[in-house]
């Protein structure tokens, strides 16, 4: 298993190194990305600092005489230009394992020097700035490792019921812990708070008994900062005895002085009895929040904590009223320095606060303590198992000019970049870490740095020594007044460093010779800039500058390979070469920037037409002219008149194996759209086009055609065409006759209603006229009573008249 882990680790390192080499080759092949030639390095050391891929050629006769800084380039380029590999200076970062003792599997029966939980133990690095190197680290928590547990308890008045609960804690806890380790020791300490106002009661009547006048608990001991009671021991009965002797105290404010106690328990190693070869567990039991640094100023304490042990002869913290509370940073530093795991056993009310503190203090865990501490044993066992199931690497004495990176390979075998921690481990499982180290700069010559990598809470560590590769081996062969330099310069790493007043590749020219006559030879024409402003005139010839964008060349440095037209930021569109300001296009491309392809293959749609017959091919791309058409070959067009007919052929061949495209290969090639069959076709989608066509057996096939936002065409079709049955003749006849009769009856009813309405209206008018008459029929002057003339009536009238006259007389 161990060999497998190592092989896997080195395999990852090899792949990473190979990837780096590929990156260098990529940089070499891309125009404008050659950082080596753009740095204008004038020495081998300057070249190496530009980029880890840069190399220097120290060969004497190497180089283009018309280029200023041609010796610094990628190693591949130098070889192509004729530099012998023997003269190429290109150091790389290396890692060497100095000490690698195999990991232990079990602690029982071994001395502290025999147990190994981290491998390797010593590594030497030789770093070139900017060039990272990797090494592997393996960690295995061994079985049956010794455990030292120091129980630090809050003895403020609110913890009295907790004190009663742990009277026999030692015996019970030892029984449980011995199930996990055969070598267990237990210690005890307590704390309250600084015996100083405003943290405690300091009035004379409370000096000996802070509970004076408190009816519930009238008697308690004076307040104290920290008291070490029992050093770590395997005699658990002594633990019980000392706990039974303890009494609670009383302080004034709610926060406690627990952080004072934690720091003293961590740094007073000899008094507490911490063993180097054991796990160090510090259980911190409290029911309230702690005082932090600067709180001491409330009591007039302005001196910061010095992080040292201050226990007097009575094992009490004698600097409690002299120094401020420790800061979180100081607390975390001392706990890590002494390999102590801190367990916050706190009540649920304050658990969130302490969980936030664990992010600032490495190696800490939080467990919920019941109000009377009845679950303390289960809590400690659970916390111990939690601690043992995690491995986290920490870095000590990290040099500022080094960058470190981590990746973890935990029990599942998966590499997790950026992580230096594994959890949910079982005792005896091995985890691996890959550590990358990169130097950001070069320190002073001869500087050596060291740093340490160690698992949190472990005594085991990996010592790393760092040397720097910032110089070139060719500098050791420097010759002053060399004949290579006309005896007036120093020859080093293949080039001359001329004495003042001399210049040239061999120091063959004097500065006074660079007068007007010689400068005119470096001008393309009268009035032009010397060497086109892109070089220097040396000994009557132009030495062109190096450019980060490409190569400058020509007799007068008038040409380059980067000042041509671009398309979308790419020189000559990537389909041509730039020669002296003009793009020379590759075959198949035309245009000032070579962005126009003469090929039409990319414009041919699946049906063999250019741009599906809906556009034209311009520079290898379809320009759709049909309204509503889109797609790489204008193949998508829901609103085109022929959209339904085009998709109909795909429906026929895909669903029913019929139609013009029934040939299977043709159908698969041209019909790539997704077809969904449904029982009922929904037509409420505004972006879908409803298509219908008549099949060979006079049925109607319906489908919808739509384009999704992702560019995919979707066809939704009925599972089967809709076929209607032939109508029954008798049914049709009866329907027609019934319709005629119904219409006749309706018309007669309407006629009857009209006549009735008319008659009623006339009769009402007649009645109304009669009621408005102004005279009776008898008073009508036009009316004459009928007269009957008879003889008898005349005689009767005469006789009647005579009688009337005779009577008078």
């Amino acid at each position: 298993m161990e060999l497998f882990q190592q092989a896997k680790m080195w395999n990852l390192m090899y792949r990473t190194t190979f990837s780096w080499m590929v990156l260098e080759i990529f940089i070499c092949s891309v125009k404008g990305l050659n950082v080596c030639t753009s740095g204008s390095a004038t020495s081998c050391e300057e070249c190496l600092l530009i980029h880890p891929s840069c190399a220097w050629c120290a060969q004497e006769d190497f180089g283009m005489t018309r280029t200023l800084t041609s010796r610094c380039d990628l190693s591949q380029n130098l070889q192509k230009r004729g530099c012998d590999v023997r003269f190429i200076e290109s150091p790389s970062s290396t890692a060497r394992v100095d000490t690698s003792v195999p990991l232990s599997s079990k602690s029982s029966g071994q001395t502290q020097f025999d147990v190994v939980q981290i491998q390797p133990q010593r590594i030497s690095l030789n770093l070139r700035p900017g060039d990272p190197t990797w090494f592997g680290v393996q960690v295995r928590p061994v079985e049956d490792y010794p455990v030292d547990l120091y129980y630090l308890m809050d003895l403020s008045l609110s913890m009295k019921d907790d004190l009663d609960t742990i009277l026999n804690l030692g015996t019970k806890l030892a029984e449980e812990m011995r199930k996990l380790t055969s070598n267990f020791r237990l210690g005890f300490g307590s704390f309250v708070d600084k015996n100083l106002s405003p943290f405690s009661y300091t009035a004379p009547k409370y000096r000996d008994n802070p509970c004076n006048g408190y009816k519930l608990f009238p008697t308690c001991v004076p307040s104290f900062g920290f008291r070490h009671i029992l050093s770590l021991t395997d005699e658990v009965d002594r633990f019980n005895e000392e706990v039974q002797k303890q009494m609670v105290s009383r302080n004034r404010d709610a926060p406690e002085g627990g952080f004072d106690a934690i720091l003293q328990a961590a740094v007073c190693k000899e008094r507490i009895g911490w063993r180097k070869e054991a796990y160090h567990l510090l259980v911190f039991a409290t029911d309230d929040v702690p005082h932090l640094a600067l709180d001491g100023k409330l009591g007039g304490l302005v001196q910061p904590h010095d992080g040292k042990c201050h226990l007097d002869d009575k094992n009490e913290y004698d600097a409690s009223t002299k120094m401020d509370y420790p800061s979180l940073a100081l607390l975390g530093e001392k706990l890590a320095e002494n390999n102590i795991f801190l367990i916050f056993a706190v009540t649920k009310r304050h658990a969130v606060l302490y969980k936030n503190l664990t992010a600032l203090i490495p190696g800490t865990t939080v467990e919920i303590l019941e109000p009377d501490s009845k679950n303390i044993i289960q809590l400690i066992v659970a916390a111990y198992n939690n601690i043992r199931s995690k491995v986290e690497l920490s870095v000590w004495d990290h040099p500022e000019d080094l960058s470190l990176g981590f990746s973890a390979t935990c029990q599942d075998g998966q590499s997790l970049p950026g992580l230096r921690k594994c959890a949910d481990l079982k005792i005896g499982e091995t985890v691996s870490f890959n550590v990358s180290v990169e130097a950001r700069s070069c320190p002073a010559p001869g500087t050596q740095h060291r740093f340490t990598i160690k698992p949190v809470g472990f005594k085991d560590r990996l010592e790393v020594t760092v040397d720097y590769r910032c110089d070139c081996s060719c500098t050791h062969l420097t010759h002053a007044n060399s004949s290579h330099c006309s005896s007036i310069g120093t020859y080093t790493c293949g080039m001359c460093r001329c004495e003042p007043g001399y210049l040239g590749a061999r120091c063959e020219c004097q500065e006074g010779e660079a007068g007007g006559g010689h400068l005119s030879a470096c001008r393309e024409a009268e009035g032009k800039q010397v060497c086109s402003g892109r070089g220097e005139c040396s000994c009557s010839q132009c030495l062109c500058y190096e450019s980060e964008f490409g190569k400058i060349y020509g007799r007068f440095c008038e040409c380059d390979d980067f000042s041509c037209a671009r398309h979308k930021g790419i020189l000559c569109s990537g389909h041509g070469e730039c020669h002296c300001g003009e793009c020379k296009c590759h075959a198949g491309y035309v245009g000032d920037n070579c962005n126009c392809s003469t090929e039409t293959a990319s414009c041919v749609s699946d049906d063999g037409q250019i741009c599906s017959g809906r556009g034209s091919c311009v520079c290898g791309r379809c320009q759709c002219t049909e309204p509503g058409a889109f797609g790489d070959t204008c193949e998508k067009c829901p609103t085109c008149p022929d959209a339904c007919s085009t998709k109909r052929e795909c429906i026929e061949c895909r669903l029913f194996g019929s139609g013009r495209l029934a040939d299977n290969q043709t159908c698969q090639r041209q019909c790539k759209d997704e077809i969904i069959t449904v029982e009922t076709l929904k037509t409420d989608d505004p972006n879908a086009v409803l298509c219908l066509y008549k099949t060979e057996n006079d049925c109607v096939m319906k489908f919808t055609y739509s384009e999704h936002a992702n560019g995919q065409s979707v066809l939704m079709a009925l599972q089967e065409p809709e076929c209607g049955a032939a109508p029954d003749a008798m049914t049709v006849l009866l329907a027609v006759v019934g319709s005629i009769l119904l219409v006749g009856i309706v018309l007669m009813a309407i006629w009857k209603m009209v006549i009735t309405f008319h008659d009623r209206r006339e009769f009402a008018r007649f009645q109304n006229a009669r009621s408005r008459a102004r005279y009776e029929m008898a008073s009508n002057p036009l009316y004459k009573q009928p007269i009957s003339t008879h003889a008898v009536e005349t005689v009767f009238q005469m006789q009647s008249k005579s009688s009337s006259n005779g009577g008078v007389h």
Side-chain angles (χ1 to χ4, degrees):
M1 181 65 181
E2 183 176 331
L3 293 176
F4 173 76
Q5 292 283 353
Q6 291 182 349
K8 187 173 183 179
M9 177 176 61
W10 289 110
N11 182 43
L12 177 60
M13 294 172 61
Y14 169 78
R15 286 184 292 171
T16 310
T17 305
F18 177 76
S19 301
W20 181 259
M21 295 173 61
V22 171
L23 177 61
E24 290 187 7
I25 297 173
F26 174 75
I27 294 176
C28 173
S29 63
V30 179
K31 294 289 184 182
L33 293 180
N34 193 336
V35 295
C36 304
T37 58
S38 65
S40 299
T42 58
S43 68
C44 181
E45 287 75 11
E46 291 181 4
C47 179
L48 298 185
L49 287 175
I50 294 175
H51 193 271
S53 63
C54 297
W56 179 269
C57 180
Q59 187 172 320
E60 178 185 353
D61 57 352
F62 172 79
M64 298 166 56
T65 58
R66 306 180 68 85
T67 305
L68 288 176
T69 55
S70 58
R71 289 184 179 272
C72 185
D73 203 340
L74 298 171
S75 178
Q76 297 88 346
N77 292 352
L78 293 176
Q79 293 182 52
K80 290 179 180 177
R81 290 161 53 192
C83 184
D84 196 305
V85 177
R86 296 175 299 167
F87 297 100
I88 294 179
E89 296 280 347
S90 182
S92 59
S93 299
T94 59
R96 184 185 72 247
V97 177
D98 297 328
T99 305
S100 182
V101 179
L103 296 171
S104 303
S105 58
K106 194 172 183 180
S107 174
S108 180
Q110 295 181 327
T111 66
Q112 59 174 323
F113 303 104
D114 295 331
V115 177
V116 178
Q117 299 183 96
I118 187 171
Q119 183 188 14
Q121 293 79 41
R122 294 183 184 274
I123 282 183
S124 296
L125 304 179
N126 213 324
L127 300 180
R128 174 182 175 180
D131 182 24
T133 189
W134 295 264
F135 59 86
V137 180
Q138 290 183 307
V139 180
R140 179 192 296 162
V142 300
E143 299 179 21
D144 198 22
Y145 200 70
V147 176
D148 287 345
L149 189 149
Y150 192 79
Y151 192 86
L152 186 58
M153 184 175 182
D154 176 8
L155 286 186
S156 59
L157 193 58
S158 58
M159 293 286 287
K160 187 177 186 308
D161 55 344
D162 300 78
L163 180 61
D164 296 337
T165 301
I166 68 167
L167 293 178
N168 296 313
L169 173 67
T171 304
K172 298 177 182 179
L173 181 59
E175 292 176 358
E176 292 296 326
M177 291 301 296
R178 286 193 176 113
K179 297 178 183 178
L180 304 174
T181 176
S182 60
N183 194 340
F184 174 70
R185 298 199 310 170
L186 188 61
F188 183 71
S190 61
F191 66 91
V192 183
D193 206 346
K194 295 181 182 295
N195 194 7
L196 188 72
S197 180
F199 312 116
S200 298
Y201 293 95
T202 57
K205 67 175 183 177
Y206 297 121
R207 185 172 301 166
D208 296 326
N209 181 16
C211 297
N212 188 6
Y214 191 63
K215 295 182 180 181
L216 294 178
F217 302 100
T219 305
C220 58
V221 299
S223 180
F224 57 91
F226 166 65
R227 182 176 295 156
H228 169 52
I229 299 171
L230 178 65
S231 299
L232 292 164
T233 178
D234 56 3
E235 299 176 10
V236 295
D237 291 337
R238 288 189 57 195
F239 181 90
N240 297 335
E241 292 173 3
E242 295 297 336
V243 170
Q244 292 170 7
K245 297 177 184 178
Q246 302 309 307
M247 294 181 63
V248 294
S249 181
R250 184 186 181 197
N251 59 327
R252 173 173 287 176
D253 61 348
E256 317 291 3
F259 280 8
D260 268 341
I262 291 175
L263 193 138
Q264 293 303 301
V267 299
C268 300
K269 297 180 287 187
E270 291 75 14
R271 296 285 189 94
I272 304 299
W274 298 114
R275 294 177 292 178
K276 292 183 178 180
E277 71 281 5
Y279 277 113
H280 301 160
L281 305 183
L282 178 56
V283 180
F284 178 79
T286 184
D287 64 347
D288 221 315
V289 298
H291 275 297
L292 303 175
L294 302 181
D295 285 356
K297 290 188 175 182
L298 297 174
L301 303 179
V302 296
Q303 181 181 352
H305 205 293
D306 59 5
K308 297 180 180 179
C309 178
H310 294 280
L311 293 184
D312 59 14
D313 296 338
K314 297 180 181 179
N315 284 329
E316 290 194 7
Y317 178 40
D318 60 4
S320 177
T321 58
K322 300 176 182 178
M323 291 187 296
D324 192 8
Y325 298 98
S327 65
L328 292 175
L330 179 62
L331 203 62
E333 177 186 342
K334 295 304 177 181
L335 289 171
E337 185 178 300
N338 294 282
N339 306 320
I340 295 176
F341 290 104
L342 177 60
I343 303 172
F344 286 124
V346 298
T347 55
K348 187 176 182 180
R349 185 162 58 104
H350 302 295
V352 174
L353 170 67
Y354 283 93
K355 285 182 179 179
N356 292 335
L357 295 179
T358 61
L360 304 174
I361 307 176
T364 58
T365 59
V366 176
E367 298 291 340
I368 305 298
L369 182 68
E370 295 292 336
D372 57 356
S373 296
K374 62 183 179 181
N375 67 327
I376 187 64
I377 295 179
Q378 295 86 348
L379 181 152
I380 293 174
V381 172
Y384 173 76
N385 289 328
N386 184 29
I387 291 171
R388 292 280 278 160
S389 68
K390 294 185 293 187
V391 171
E392 181 177 4
L393 297 186
S394 61
V395 181
W396 289 78
D397 302 324
H398 183 185
E400 294 183 357
D401 63 339
L402 295 184
S403 296
L404 299 183
F406 292 84
S407 64
T409 304
C410 301
Q411 62 272 28
D412 57 359
Q414 298 295 323
S415 179
L416 304 173
L419 293 184
R420 59 171 81 179
K421 178 180 179 180
C422 287
D424 300 326
L425 301 175
K426 296 180 180 178
I427 302 300
E429 287 187 334
T430 304
V431 294
S432 302
F433 300 90
N434 284 322
V435 185
S436 67
V437 186
E438 178 182 348
R440 292 192 291 264
S441 61
C442 276
T447 300
Q448 186 181 76
H449 285 144
R450 299 176 186 272
F451 64 92
T452 301
I453 296 177
K454 56 175 293 189
V456 175
F458 287 56
K459 71 176 182 64
D460 304 77
R461 62 187 61 205
L462 166 61
E463 301 286 348
V464 183
T465 303
V466 181
D467 291 302
Y468 297 85
R469 307 191 66 173
C470 296
D471 56 353
C472 300
S473 59
C474 60
T475 56
H476 302 298
L477 303 176
T478 299
H479 298 287
N481 299 321
S482 172
S483 59
H484 296 291
C485 305
S486 305
S487 300
I488 48 176
T490 300
Y491 181 78
T492 177
C493 293
M495 64 183 299
C496 290
R497 294 180 181 174
C498 302
E499 297 292 337
Y502 292 88
L503 49 89
R506 300 285 181 237
C507 306
E508 69 274 20
C509 296
Q510 290 185 339
E511 290 183 355
E513 296 178 355
H518 294 278
L519 290 178
S520 61
C522 296
R523 287 189 173 93
E524 188 175 3
E526 190 66 28
K528 295 277 189 177
Q529 287 183 303
V530 175
C531 299
S532 304
R534 304 198 293 181
E536 295 180 2
C537 185
S538 178
C539 299
S540 300
Q541 62 179 352
C542 287
L543 298 180
C544 302
Y545 296 135
E546 292 283 350
S547 173
E548 61 179 319
F549 302 108
K551 179 182 178 183
I552 299 175
Y553 60 96
R555 179 180 176 185
F556 306 102
C557 303
E558 74 277 10
C559 292
D560 61 60
D561 61 356
F562 54 83
S563 296
C564 294
R566 297 173 181 265
H567 178 66
K568 295 183 178 180
I570 302 177
L571 189 68
C572 298
S573 306
H575 302 304
E577 302 293 336
C578 181
H579 293 285
C580 210
E582 182 181 355
C583 284
K584 303 295 183 182
C585 300
H586 298 157
Y589 292 90
V590 294
D592 294 339
N593 52 14
C594 305
N595 69 321
C596 189
S597 174
T598 59
E599 294 290 330
T600 60
S602 58
C603 296
V604 178
S605 57
D606 291 335
D607 58 2
Q609 300 185 71
I610 297 294
C611 300
S612 304
R614 298 170 180 152
S616 57
C617 188
V618 179
C619 294
R621 300 185 65 181
C622 283
Q623 293 186 355
C624 304
T625 56
E626 183 77 22
F630 62 98
D632 293 338
T633 58
C634 306
E635 73 280 6
K636 302 179 184 298
C637 187
T639 60
C640 289
D642 61 340
C644 286
S645 60
T646 302
K647 301 302 179 182
R648 166 188 173 176
E649 295 177 346
C650 292
I651 293 291
E652 289 178 337
C653 74
R654 290 274 297 276
L655 297 184
F656 308 110
S658 60
R660 185 177 65 86
L661 305 178
D663 176 61
N664 190 38
Q665 294 182 352
T666 305
C667 185
Q668 291 182 354
R669 186 181 70 253
Q670 296 190 18
C671 300
K672 300 178 181 179
D673 300 334
E674 181 182 5
I675 299 179
I676 303 174
T677 57
V678 295
E679 294 183 358
T680 304
L681 195 63
K682 296 181 180 180
T683 59
D684 54 352
D685 186 358
N687 298 321
V689 178
L690 177 62
C691 300
L692 304 90
Y693 69 90
K694 195 173 183 179
T695 63
E696 297 176 352
N697 52 0
D698 294 332
C699 296
V700 176
M701 184 62 188
K702 297 180 181 180
F703 65 92
T704 59
Y705 167 38
S706 61
E707 294 288 344
H708 280 193
N710 59 7
Q712 183 181 15
S713 300
V714 177
L715 303 177
M716 298 190 68
L718 292 174
Q719 293 179 349
E720 295 292 339
E722 295 180 348
C723 300
D728 183 68
M730 183 58 67
T731 302
V732 173
L733 178 60
L734 293 176
V736 171
V737 172
S739 300
I740 294 174
L741 291 175
L742 180 61
V743 170
I745 293 172
V746 171
L747 291 176
M748 291 180 67
I750 294 174
W751 177 80
K752 180 62 177 176
M753 290 175 62
V754 171
I755 295 300
T756 302
F757 177 75
H758 179 268
D759 290 347
R760 288 182 177 180
R761 186 177 60 181
E762 290 299 323
F763 179 76
R765 186 182 300 170
F766 171 75
Q767 290 290 345
N768 188 36
R770 289 185 59 187
S771 64
R772 291 197 305 269
R774 293 179 295 176
Y775 42 82
E776 296 288 338
M777 186 177 294
S779 61
N780 192 345
L782 298 178
Y783 178 77
K784 290 183 178 182
Q785 193 74 13
I787 300 175
S788 299
T789 303
H790 300 283
V792 176
E793 182 180 358
T794 304
V795 175
F796 174 77
Q797 290 180 348
M798 293 177 63
Q799 291 178 353
S800 176
K801 186 177 178 181
S802 298
S803 298
S804 138
N805 291 332
V808 175
H809 295 285

